[in-house]
Amino acid sequence: MLKEGIYLGDRYEIVGKVGTGGMADVYKAKDHTLGRFVGIKVLKQEFSEDVNFVTKFRTEAQSAAGLEHPNIVNIYDVGSENSVHYIVMEYVEGITLKTYIEKKGQLSFKEAVSIAIQVGRGIEAAHNKHIIHRDIKPQNIIISTEGKVKVTDFGIARAASTNTISSDVMGSVHYASPEQARNGFVDGKSDIYSLGIVMYEMVTGRVPFDGDSTVAVAIQHLQEEMVVPSAYAPDLPVSIEKIILKCTQKSPDRRYNSMTDLLMDLKKALISPDEDFVVMVPLGQQDKTRVMRPDEVESIKEQTRNIYYKNEEETEEEDEEDEEEDDGFLNPKMEKAVTIMGIVAAVIIVAIIVYIGGSVLGFFKFSDKDDKKKPEENQTQTEQEEKSEKVEMINVKGSTFDEAKNALNTIGIGIERGGEESSDTYPAGQIIAQSVEEGTMVDKNTTVKVTISSGAGEFDVPDTKGRSKSEAESILESAGLVPVFEYELSDTVPNDQVISQSPEAGTKAKKGDTVTVILSQGRETFPMPDVRNKPEGDARAELKDMGIDVVSTSSDYSDDIPEGNVISQSITPGKTVEKGTQVTLVISLGKKITTKYYSLNGYAIDLPDIIPSNSISVEAKIYLYKSEGEDLINSWTATSFPYTINQGNIENCSEGYFRIEWTWKYLDEDESEVTESDETTIEGVSFTQN
């Protein structure tokens, strides 16, 4: 298993594991060259060590890389590094069609046809390049979050099917065509059959053939007729049903000739679903079991070589041997055995007819001793023979009680219910045990007691909280449970991690039960509000109401934004953010005023004319004001004159004025001291700029 942070090809950084299959594990990775996310499928170790398989895997993947279509998960790259063999493909966010069907149960015919058309378009593009998928199933069909349907695993199925690997690696046999089930010649019509099975499952919610083993299901594909889909979907339009039935004919000759022909009928079905326009190919000589002529075998081998086995001489020889043995609905060995058994059965039947006829006509005589037996004795002997007649017990496990009753009564055996028990193998209602085992010879009229399954046994539901989606899916499926995923917003749980599950961990459940898993979509997102030119208090309140934190503020001057209002914000208005986002605001200080400094140097204040010359003392309180605004700059008290004024650091004022309060004393005629006062103003005093 690759760990997060590992690089492949010095280019692809592993982000996390998103799924696993029989052959490979799938990872989400970041392509640092093109700056995009990709999916990387890495072969499991047991296949990586098989040189022949790896060679075919690379060849087929490179061939599939030539496919470019909106309904195909495109392959970008193929590589190997330190015994790790991988393919790089388009990353599609979504769910498989299998999960979608399990979640919805049954799809409407319009939705099913729409999905089938998109899948068919992808397969058609592959067939046009002589590439057969060979493993079409809902697990290999992805529905993206935008509703686009894409087919994946082109090339992988081909590589797998040309090597000796187990059926569980190849995926479900439920969708395999009859020719695949018998290892026969496979062409594009095999993909048409598989798509027909997928359509059947979409509209009914189930597969047409099922069983306890892959062999049992494969035999059903070969020999049994499917229940028509309308039996499970009564409202299914006739055109859809006939399309499905035509796709899933056991003989390839009776299916659609090409995916293009199938797409034409599917499109017509969307427009006229109730019109019976599908033309079914009538049964003919081609549908009977027969041995293929050498020229037909050679023709098939030639087609196979031209399409799939170029430059693979060794593989061609192996496949030719398989085709010679297996072509036809029954291979030649099986046909020979059937023919011999038919001859033997015919001989036996003729012998019985001759014997019965001869006995009636008296041709066959027995000893007098036998003839002289009393009628009563002969009758008793016959009854005893009938009573003592033995039959071989059959296997009724997996059957319902009624099915078993019919089968047993046919061979003269009775049946009795023997209670119920839980079973992880047999669904509820099926027989899990019988008192007489298969193959045992028993007397006719013997009664067999059977045990009925009450369904799977109960166990504790595992805990998936805090796990990633892929981990939760793996845990639940390993326990035999069916996960269904839903999403909710969360301020505390990271994106794509499990918030909760229902039923909860520890609750009792049975295999096959559904567990609803709630995954986090992360925090709620919304556009960043615009708080510019709003008072700081109002801006803070608005952001707080939306769950956005103002972590800090700064201030600056602005000629346009009033003092105290927001000049700017650290996150652009309209940008998508989530709750808990932090933002910084810049608050206006108002207009910036540039301070100019002025000085008044050596300005002399002298006595005014109002002061008499016989004054014995004079005092002046001098006040200097700005002409603009009448602000006091400074004040002085003077007693000797002229009095020199020096004043610096006068801010933003080039002119001022003096207001002087004079007080003086003098002696009158009586030599008495007299005090008087007055006020003068000196206007237009100019200051010098520093």
Side-chain angles (χ1 to χ4, degrees):
M1 178 176 175
L2 301 181
K3 295 182 179 179
E4 293 183 16
I6 288 179
Y7 275 75
L8 290 178
D10 295 325
R11 172 176 178 177
Y12 307 109
E13 180 186 2
I14 300 299
V15 175
K17 187 175 180 181
V18 295
T20 186
M23 293 171 51
D25 295 319
V26 183
Y27 297 86
K28 181 180 180 182
K30 180 67 178 292
D31 180 352
H32 285 280
T33 300
L34 298 178
R36 65 183 177 185
F37 285 108
V38 295
I40 296 186
K41 183 158 288 191
V42 180
L43 276 182
K44 289 186 175 179
Q45 189 65 32
E46 57 263 36
F47 302 110
S48 298
E49 296 173 354
D50 186 335
V51 177
N52 290 332
F53 180 79
V54 170
T55 301
K56 291 186 180 296
F57 168 77
R58 290 178 59 85
T59 300
E60 295 302 330
Q62 288 167 350
S63 174
L67 291 174
E68 291 186 9
H69 192 272
N71 297 116
I72 292 177
V73 176
N74 296 309
I75 294 176
Y76 298 144
D77 194 7
V78 183
S80 60
E81 182 178 318
N82 299 325
S83 298
V84 175
H85 303 281
Y86 61 90
I87 59 175
V88 182
M89 61 186 66
E90 176 185 1
Y91 179 73
V92 181
E93 190 73 47
I95 62 173
T96 65
L97 177 58
K98 187 70 174 179
T99 301
Y100 190 65
I101 294 172
E102 289 171 348
K103 185 174 181 180
K104 296 195 69 173
Q106 288 179 259
L107 277 58
S108 68
F109 83 87
K110 288 186 178 179
E111 188 173 22
V113 171
S114 175
I115 291 172
I117 288 174
Q118 294 187 67
V119 174
R121 286 171 178 164
I123 299 174
E124 180 187 39
H127 287 184
N128 289 340
K129 292 197 174 184
H130 308 297
I131 296 176
I132 312 302
H133 191 287
R134 297 170 176 256
D135 196 20
I136 294 296
K137 56 186 179 181
Q139 295 90 330
N140 282 340
I141 298 169
I142 300 175
I143 302 175
S144 72
T145 51
E146 293 82 18
K148 177 71 73 175
V149 179
K150 290 178 178 281
V151 184
T152 188
D153 274 3
F154 274 99
I156 295 177
R158 170 61 183 155
S161 62
T162 54
N163 288 268
T164 304
I165 58 177
S166 59
S167 59
D168 62 326
V169 174
M170 278 302 297
S172 175
V173 73
H174 295 88
Y175 310 92
S177 64
E179 54 268 31
Q180 285 177 296
R182 60 181 166 80
N183 258 345
F185 173 72
V186 174
D187 62 6
K189 291 187 177 182
S190 180
D191 286 347
I192 291 175
Y193 181 94
S194 299
L195 179 55
I197 300 294
V198 172
M199 287 191 283
Y200 186 104
E201 185 177 3
M202 283 195 287
V203 298
T204 66
R206 66 185 70 198
V207 290
F209 301 124
D210 203 358
D212 295 335
S213 67
T214 54
V215 174
V217 177
I219 290 173
Q220 292 179 64
H221 280 290
L222 285 166
Q223 298 179 352
E224 295 188 12
E225 293 300 323
M226 66 170 62
V227 177
V228 294
S230 58
Y232 304 116
D235 296 330
L236 188 67
V238 61
S239 63
I240 313 301
E241 178 163 85
K242 293 190 73 172
I243 287 173
I244 294 173
L245 294 177
K246 186 171 182 177
C247 288
T248 54
Q249 291 295 306
K250 297 190 183 302
S251 170
D253 294 334
R254 300 192 67 220
R255 301 175 202 152
Y256 285 95
N257 285 327
S258 66
M259 190 60 67
T260 302
D261 293 342
L262 170 57
L263 285 170
M264 288 176 61
D265 274 5
L266 285 171
K267 293 172 184 176
K268 189 171 182 180
L270 279 179
I271 301 171
S272 307
D274 296 317
E275 181 182 345
D276 188 3
F277 59 81
V278 179
V279 178
M280 303 297 289
V281 179
L283 286 168
Q285 182 64 32
Q286 73 272 20
D287 301 309
K288 298 178 181 178
T289 303
R290 61 185 176 87
V291 178
M292 301 187 74
R293 299 193 309 275
D295 61 325
E296 292 177 310
V297 174
E298 184 58 35
S299 174
I300 291 175
K301 289 190 291 184
E302 185 62 29
Q303 292 178 48
T304 305
R305 280 195 293 268
N306 291 340
I307 296 176
Y308 302 111
Y309 297 99
K310 293 180 180 177
N311 303 321
E312 296 185 18
E313 296 177 358
E314 183 178 329
T315 305
E316 287 177 357
E317 293 173 1
E318 295 173 357
D319 289 346
E320 288 168 9
E321 293 175 2
D322 291 340
E323 289 169 357
E324 290 171 356
E325 293 179 1
D326 296 329
D327 282 337
F329 251 31
L330 292 175
N331 62 45
K333 293 181 180 178
M334 181 61 74
E335 289 187 276
K336 184 177 180 181
V338 171
T339 303
I340 292 172
M341 287 189 289
I343 294 171
V344 172
V347 171
I348 293 173
I349 292 170
V350 171
I352 292 172
I353 294 173
V354 171
Y355 171 78
I356 294 173
S359 298
V360 172
L361 297 175
F363 294 154
F364 300 105
K365 299 287 187 176
F366 297 95
S367 67
D368 294 341
K369 183 178 179 181
D370 291 337
D371 292 339
K372 292 177 182 178
K373 286 182 180 179
K374 296 178 181 180
E376 295 83 358
E377 185 179 347
N378 289 336
Q379 184 177 4
T380 303
Q381 182 177 346
T382 302
E383 291 175 354
Q384 289 175 349
E385 287 176 353
E386 289 179 355
K387 289 181 179 179
S388 62
E389 184 179 350
K390 299 280 188 179
V391 294
E392 183 178 354
M393 181 61 190
I394 62 175
N395 180 27
V396 294
K397 295 177 184 177
S399 304
T400 65
F401 185 84
D402 290 339
E403 291 170 343
K405 181 178 179 181
N406 292 334
L408 291 171
N409 289 349
T410 301
I411 62 173
I413 298 179
I415 187 172
E416 178 185 349
R417 292 180 183 269
E420 293 188 351
E421 290 183 10
S422 63
S423 171
D424 293 339
T425 306
Y426 296 96
Q430 290 187 2
I431 295 171
I432 63 175
Q434 54 193 67
S435 60
V436 180
E437 291 300 320
E438 178 186 11
T440 304
M441 300 301 296
V442 296
D443 294 334
K444 272 192 174 182
N445 300 320
T446 298
T447 299
V448 176
K449 186 177 292 186
V450 295
T451 304
I452 310 296
S453 170
S454 60
E458 292 187 333
F459 55 89
D460 290 342
V461 175
D463 189 2
T464 63
K465 289 182 181 177
R467 301 278 191 171
S468 68
K469 178 182 178 181
S470 59
E471 289 175 333
E473 186 173 29
S474 177
I475 291 170
L476 294 174
E477 288 181 348
S478 297
L481 299 170
V482 179
V484 174
F485 294 99
E486 296 179 1
Y487 285 86
E488 286 184 4
L489 296 169
S490 174
D491 293 339
T492 57
V493 180
N495 186 48
D496 223 31
Q497 284 192 8
V498 178
I499 300 173
S500 62
Q501 63 183 65
S502 178
E504 295 184 352
T507 304
K508 296 296 182 183
K510 296 180 180 180
K511 281 191 176 181
D513 285 355
T514 297
V515 177
T516 301
V517 179
I518 308 299
L519 293 170
S520 172
Q521 275 185 311
R523 297 171 183 262
E524 179 184 356
T525 60
F526 45 82
M528 181 67 187
D530 188 353
V531 296
R532 293 172 299 183
N533 205 15
K534 294 183 179 180
E536 180 183 357
D538 294 347
R540 284 179 175 272
E542 181 178 345
L543 294 172
K544 183 178 180 181
D545 289 343
M546 300 189 73
I548 299 175
D549 299 328
V550 179
V551 292
S552 64
T553 60
S554 60
S555 55
D556 199 357
Y557 293 98
S558 173
D559 292 338
D560 303 316
I561 307 300
E563 183 178 357
N565 284 13
V566 177
I567 297 175
S568 62
Q569 53 194 76
S570 59
I571 299 177
T572 305
K575 182 179 179 181
T576 300
V577 295
E578 59 183 25
K579 278 190 175 182
T581 298
Q582 296 181 333
V583 67
T584 299
L585 304 179
V586 178
I587 309 302
S588 174
L589 293 173
K591 291 184 178 181
K592 184 175 182 180
I593 299 175
T594 302
T595 303
K596 295 181 181 179
Y597 292 96
Y598 296 84
S599 298
L600 182 65
N601 296 316
Y603 191 89
I605 302 294
D606 206 351
L607 294 173
D609 294 338
I610 59 172
I611 304 299
S613 58
N614 62 341
S615 296
I616 58 175
S617 66
V618 177
E619 181 183 84
K621 289 185 178 181
I622 305 168
Y623 301 94
L624 177 60
Y625 292 90
K626 293 181 179 180
S627 295
E628 301 171 359
E630 298 185 351
D631 293 332
L632 178 65
I633 298 173
N634 207 345
S635 62
W636 300 266
T637 300
T639 56
S640 61
F641 302 94
Y643 183 80
T644 302
I645 300 294
N646 293 302
Q647 175 64 45
N649 295 325
I650 303 173
E651 295 181 2
N652 300 319
C653 186
S654 60
E655 188 177 86
Y657 65 92
F658 285 105
R659 184 173 63 81
I660 306 171
E661 296 176 355
W662 298 95
T663 302
W664 64 89
K665 295 179 181 180
Y666 63 92
L667 298 175
D668 59 9
E669 294 176 353
D670 296 330
E671 296 295 324
S672 297
E673 188 175 291
V674 178
T675 301
E676 290 187 7
S677 62
D678 203 347
E679 183 178 297
T680 60
T681 300
I682 302 174
E683 302 280 357
V685 179
S686 296
F687 305 147
T688 302
Q689 184 175 347
N690 294 347

